[in-house]
Amino acid sequence: MAVPFAPWARADRREARGGRSPDGVLVVTIQPIVGGLFVERKVERPGAARVVQNFVFTTAEAFHRWCDADAARFDFPLLYSQLRHDADELLAEHADAQVTG
């Protein structure tokens, strides 16, 4: 039985949200973790290498700055708008859960 490297690497990430570009080349997944937000960004072109980047953000502002710095936001503005919205919701829910217990 394979043991996952980290809880966010599980295939059944129930809390994970994200989106994909219309051509399927770019896939971004976000998930709340203890202390912030885990982000996985994959770019995979047919017949070429796959690039996977993982990030952890502790605040919504840091995540928004990352979104603003990503050049892909110009090609897929709706995807990045949805990611920002989902990140705000996930971080707010996670903060509420930490406060209550």
Side-chain angles (χ1 to χ4, degrees):
M1 181 173 145
V3 177
F5 172 70
W8 53 78
R10 294 188 320 233
D12 66 338
R13 299 180 286 185
R14 287 178 227 120
E15 295 178 336
R17 297 187 193 179
R20 143 186 331 265
S21 64
D23 58 3
V25 170
L26 174 65
V27 178
V28 182
T29 307
I30 59 176
Q31 176 179 346
I33 59 171
V34 174
L37 186 70
F38 175 77
V39 178
E40 180 179 79
R41 182 185 190 272
K42 288 192 272 188
V43 177
E44 184 173 8
R45 298 189 188 281
R50 178 187 326 173
V51 177
V52 180
Q53 299 169 304
N54 297 311
F55 307 93
V56 174
F57 297 98
T58 56
T59 65
E61 293 79 21
F63 179 73
H64 291 189
R65 283 194 306 273
W66 176 79
C67 286
D68 291 342
D70 193 345
R73 80 185 197 294
F74 294 112
D75 296 326
F76 311 111
L78 295 177
L79 170 64
Y80 278 81
S81 175
Q82 185 63 45
L83 287 172
R84 290 172 69 120
H85 180 266
D86 288 346
D88 290 344
E89 280 186 3
L90 289 173
L91 287 169
E93 290 171 7
H94 187 66
D96 290 344
Q98 284 183 343
V99 170
T100 59

